[in-house]
Structure formats: structure tokens, C-alpha cells
Amino acid sequence: ANNEETDNLILQLVKGQTVSNTPQNSLPKEEGIQAALDVYDALHYAFLCEYLHLDLHDENVMLSDQAGLMIIDLASFFSFDELLNYVEETTSTSSTA
């Protein structure tokens, strides 16, 4: 029997369109404000969990048919530790070259 632990990431299917594919001024003002607050809430929550999204742009934000605004491309979220390790490796490599 294999006793190794396995991590699985299960993603939600998001139906909708990216912000880049949404015509300007197509949302009522109140919905636009709520969408901006949704992005802020998502990024704030990620930050509190010690994650940063390093590729945030209008193609990685979706207007979902089900749940308002959602940030996608989860592979662009990195933990503070991953970023710190990367910076340390990069700076130690460049300073010895």
C-alpha cells in the first residue's frame, strides 16, 4: 500500500467572460463598483493568507455568470515564502557570478 500523501487542487468551472472581452460601460455603475470591491476582497483575502497574484490583468479577471467577478489563473498566485526563496536564490546566484 502506498502511504504517500497527495495534494489535489479542484477548480471551479467559471462560465462568463474576461474583463478584457467585456465592452466598456456595459455594466451599470453600481455593478462596476461591486466588481471592483470583489477584486479588492479577493486580493485582500489572498494577501491575508500570504499569497500574491503576480500576473493580474484584465484577461485574468472574469465576470462570472454565477458569482460576480472572479480572479483566475491561480498558477500566478505565489506564497510569500516562495517569493522570498526566489529572491534569495536569484540574488545569491547573481552576486557570485
Side-chain angles (χ1 to χ4, degrees):
N2 185 352
N3 291 333
E4 290 184 32
E5 288 187 27
T6 303
D7 292 327
N8 295 296
L9 178 63
I10 300 172
L11 302 176
Q12 174 183 355
L13 173 63
V14 179
K15 293 184 179 183
Q17 60 189 12
T18 63
V19 170
S20 66
N21 290 329
T22 304
Q24 280 190 324
N25 301 319
S26 64
L27 288 178
K29 182 178 181 178
E30 295 77 22
E31 286 183 41
I33 291 169
Q34 186 57 54
L37 291 172
D38 288 347
V39 169
Y40 169 80
D41 286 341
L43 294 173
H44 183 248
Y45 178 76
F47 185 80
L48 292 175
C49 294
E50 299 186 350
Y51 283 90
L52 294 174
H53 194 292
L54 298 182
D55 191 27
L56 192 61
H57 53 81
D58 59 355
E59 299 244 341
N60 285 339
V61 178
M62 286 194 66
L63 290 169
S64 165
D65 294 343
Q66 310 98 335
L69 202 104
M70 299 181 80
I71 297 174
I72 60 173
D73 187 11
L74 300 181
S76 292
F77 276 102
F78 293 89
S79 71
F80 292 175
D81 286 341
E82 289 173 313
L83 294 171
L84 183 60
N85 289 338
Y86 174 77
V87 169
E88 287 175 347
E89 288 174 11
T90 304
T91 55
S92 68
T93 303
S94 64
S95 64
T96 59

